[in-house]
Amino acid sequence: MNIKMAGEQIKNTVRAYLAKDEAGRALIPQNKQRPIFLMGAPGIGKTEIISQIASELGVGMLSYSMTHHTRQSAMGLPIIRKKEFEGETFEATEYTVSEIIAAVYDMMNRSGVRNGILFLDEINCVSETLNPVMLQFLQYKEFGGRRLPEGWIVVTAGNPPEYNSSVREFDTVTWDRLKRIDIEPDFTVWKEYAYRAGVHGAVISYLEIKPQNFYIIDKTANGRSFVTARGWDDLSHVLKVYEKLGIAADKELVGQYLQGSRVAEDFAAYYELYRKYESDYRVGDILRGVQDEAITQRAQQAGFDERYALLGLLLDAAGSECARLLSQDGDLMKLKGELSQVQSECERGGDAQTLLRESVKKLESERGKLIAANNLSKAADDSFIYRTDRLKSYADAAAGGFEDAKVKFGEDTAEFLKKTDDTKTHLDNLFRFCSTVFGTGHELVIVLTEVAVNPNTARFIAVYGCYEYYRYDKELMMGERRLAILDEIESLKQ
């Protein structure tokens, strides 16, 4: 199955393991909670999906690579204790607390979370001395006599033996204690993640043209040649930072992330052109509706790859705008709720400035706990930072009373609404430009399809509307005609 389907399986399993009866007991006892085992090629997104699930469910997450652990670190160190039984004293071996179990309790103390996911990666690469200990842990959730706290779910992962020479095949006894999920790479599913995560537009548009280069692992005379989902994601991050710092990204840099020379060289060449087109076509001007006959003529005469890169640039710019505004929309709604609570308390005699500063402290405390629980996503963190900043400004304004803070919030809302109107105009201009340059051909179908697939643009249009989108969607995206055009697009990519 693909990583999205696996994520749903994992999420449902965690929810089931955490479910309790009326007496507060787990509906599935801890010793019957089979650890999940994710089997999949390297760099496919196993760790990322667990992190996302922990964030969505609001539980803690601890991650360990089991290749780095010994029997002692997993079980704890042996110590001698004196015991007494039926009047006789004797010495017995006990163990100090396992490093892994201790880390779980430390997280619970720091963050206040009671439930979590313990993610043990590369579990099928443990040493022979640790293997019997792991077998006991998989069934009883216990290391060295110390049990994993109730409410903590074990998720494990590993690579098939053809990808990792350290892999040890599990026997039937071990497999019979695991809930196994096999995962395969899937570009279409990864693209959904890429849009949500803000993956660089050059990466998305390149892989749209050449999806066969999304995930490759080959054996060559010089060793393994590989390109993975993780490689594309990490490359995207570094490209954005290099652009921000004004550092040129060359094929050597690309090859450090895409360790398949053919794909690395091909993408590096595409990226260089992509950056050139970004400057040549002045994407910002196009979205603002600036007419330029030279740009129109160049786009009309461009080859397929250049046209696709241009569309990628336009879609990336529009999608990023939509993502920022959707996030701000949610933040403003939360701020409105905070202000409503403060207003109610002010009506009962509370001081607006004091109450707002207390709200700031609560937000900062909540953020700190989520960081300690290791389940704060970047998007959620951005939201905390924005809301904290705005609440501080409202607290400063409230020196003259709550109404002044309310005025400040009204200014933020008005500015936000102005931005949404601008973005609606930019989307309309995107469709007008494509229609003017390409008519109602393949390019317009590509734009309509990608706008619908991208969760940021799709949701923005659903909430705020876009006249030109609805106009062309009605005209072009109809039944068999749409399918026929998309088939033609696929043939052009070959």
Side-chain angles (χ1 to χ4, degrees):
M1 66 179 66
N2 60 51
I3 195 71
K4 183 178 181 181
M5 295 168 62
E8 286 301 312
Q9 290 281 329
I10 298 163
K11 189 188 302 182
N12 290 336
T13 299
V14 172
R15 292 176 61 197
Y17 286 174
L18 293 177
K20 299 183 183 300
D21 63 15
E22 292 79 3
R25 298 168 300 191
L27 292 177
I28 302 175
Q30 193 180 42
N31 69 320
K32 295 296 183 183
Q33 294 178 5
R34 285 195 175 196
I36 299 165
F37 182 90
L38 305 179
M39 176 69 88
I44 204 170
K46 299 186 289 293
T47 304
E48 180 65 30
I49 197 67
I50 299 303
S51 179
Q52 286 181 27
I53 290 168
S55 182
E56 288 177 25
L57 296 180
V59 300
M61 178 185 168
L62 270 177
S63 178
Y64 281 95
S65 173
M66 294 311 296
T67 55
H68 300 154
H69 279 277
T70 64
R71 180 184 175 90
Q72 287 74 26
S73 64
M75 284 194 66
L77 295 173
I79 54 177
I80 305 300
R81 299 274 193 199
K82 285 189 177 182
K83 301 282 186 177
E84 187 174 316
F85 181 68
E86 294 183 346
E88 184 177 349
T89 301
F90 57 92
E91 293 182 337
T93 302
E94 288 187 3
Y95 290 86
T96 58
V97 178
S98 156
E99 176 186 325
I100 296 173
I101 300 296
V104 171
Y105 280 105
D106 284 344
M107 173 174 280
M108 292 170 68
N109 289 334
R110 291 195 317 271
S111 67
V113 299
R114 311 312 299 171
N115 302 323
I117 296 173
L118 176 60
F119 181 56
L120 305 179
D121 200 5
E122 300 187 54
I123 194 174
N124 54 348
C125 294
V126 298
S127 64
E128 285 191 36
T129 59
L130 187 54
N131 197 50
V133 177
M134 287 304 305
L135 184 61
Q136 181 183 24
F137 179 76
L138 293 176
Q139 181 161 2
Y140 298 109
K141 319 300 183 297
E142 185 178 288
F143 277 135
R146 275 22 180 237
R147 181 168 290 187
L148 191 68
E150 294 278 349
W152 277 76
I153 312 304
V154 180
V155 180
T156 66
N159 306 135
E162 60 266 31
Y163 299 115
N164 192 331
S165 59
S166 301
V167 166
R168 300 175 66 253
E169 285 286 355
F170 285 162
D171 54 27
T172 304
V173 174
T174 304
W175 281 127
D176 197 35
R177 285 166 169 76
L178 294 168
K179 177 182 169 71
R180 175 170 171 166
I181 299 175
D182 290 277
I183 308 173
E184 298 292 334
D186 186 321
F187 170 63
T188 302
V189 169
W190 182 82
K191 190 169 77 169
E192 292 181 35
Y193 156 79
Y195 278 133
R196 293 185 187 280
V199 168
H200 199 292
V203 170
I204 296 175
S205 61
Y206 172 81
L207 291 175
E208 273 293 330
I209 299 170
K210 299 182 179 181
Q212 69 275 15
N213 290 343
F214 169 60
Y215 197 98
I216 302 170
I217 297 184
D218 290 326
K219 286 185 178 179
T220 68
N222 299 321
R224 287 194 184 276
S225 170
F226 58 92
V227 176
T228 68
R230 177 166 53 213
W232 288 113
D233 197 4
D234 291 347
L235 176 61
S236 166
H237 283 285
V238 78
L239 289 177
K240 287 188 172 185
V241 174
Y242 269 46
E243 289 170 10
K244 188 173 184 178
L245 297 176
I247 303 173
D250 52 25
K251 66 179 181 180
E252 282 73 22
L253 174 74
V254 173
Q256 293 159 19
Y257 292 86
L258 309 179
Q259 298 185 45
S261 58
R262 177 186 60 80
V263 176
E265 289 177 7
D266 194 44
F267 176 76
Y270 176 83
Y271 175 71
E272 185 177 349
L273 289 173
Y274 186 90
R275 292 285 288 163
K276 183 176 184 300
Y277 299 150
E278 185 175 24
S279 173
D280 292 352
Y281 280 103
R282 301 198 300 276
V283 169
D285 286 348
I286 292 174
L287 294 181
R288 286 189 292 272
V290 177
Q291 301 291 328
D292 189 313
E293 186 62 29
I295 285 178
T296 300
Q297 289 182 1
R298 174 172 175 175
Q300 289 172 334
Q301 296 166 6
F304 179 79
D305 282 6
E306 182 172 339
R307 289 186 180 195
Y308 212 104
L310 172 58
L311 297 181
L313 285 162
L314 291 166
L315 289 164
D316 184 48
S320 296
E321 277 190 48
C322 292
R324 286 192 297 271
L325 287 171
L326 288 169
S327 175
Q328 192 175 354
D329 190 349
D331 291 339
L332 287 171
M333 290 299 295
K334 290 176 182 177
L335 287 168
K336 183 179 180 182
E338 290 274 1
L339 288 173
S340 294
Q341 289 183 357
V342 169
Q343 184 174 22
S344 297
E345 293 181 41
C346 286
E347 290 170 355
R348 293 193 293 269
D351 176 70
Q353 193 167 48
T354 301
L355 291 167
L356 284 166
R357 285 175 177 164
E358 287 176 356
S359 295
V360 170
K361 289 180 181 178
K362 287 178 185 177
L363 268 187
E364 291 174 338
S365 174
E366 185 180 349
R367 178 175 179 254
K369 288 181 179 179
L370 289 172
I371 291 172
N374 198 28
N375 69 352
L376 181 63
S377 67
K378 182 182 182 303
D381 198 26
D382 288 343
S383 173
F384 272 109
I385 292 170
Y386 174 80
R387 286 183 287 142
T388 300
D389 176 73
R390 299 324 301 148
L391 279 174
K392 286 179 179 178
S393 74
Y394 302 157
D396 291 340
F402 177 77
E403 286 303 314
D404 289 344
K406 191 174 178 181
V407 168
K408 189 74 172 173
F409 175 74
E411 292 171 356
D412 286 345
T413 302
E415 182 183 354
F416 166 75
L417 293 174
K418 170 66 168 59
K419 289 179 180 177
T420 60
D421 287 340
D422 290 343
T423 298
K424 285 171 63 177
T425 300
H426 295 167
L427 286 169
D428 282 336
N429 289 334
L430 166 61
F431 287 107
R432 292 188 186 111
F433 173 80
C434 291
S435 175
T436 299
V437 174
F438 308 119
T440 56
H442 306 307
E443 292 80 8
L444 191 56
V445 175
I446 290 171
V447 172
L448 284 165
T449 302
E450 291 304 310
V451 163
V453 168
N454 185 329
N456 298 315
T457 49
R459 187 174 159 220
F460 182 91
I461 290 172
V463 174
Y464 298 103
C466 175
Y467 173 79
E468 296 294 328
Y469 170 80
Y470 291 125
R471 172 190 168 196
Y472 288 112
D473 183 61
K474 183 177 180 181
E475 181 179 341
L476 293 178
M477 308 297 276
M478 303 292 289
E480 293 182 358
R481 172 170 166 74
R482 178 191 180 194
L483 295 176
I485 293 174
L486 291 175
D487 285 341
E488 290 179 34
I489 292 171
E490 290 301 316
S491 69
L492 286 170
K493 294 180 186 179
Q494 303 303 320

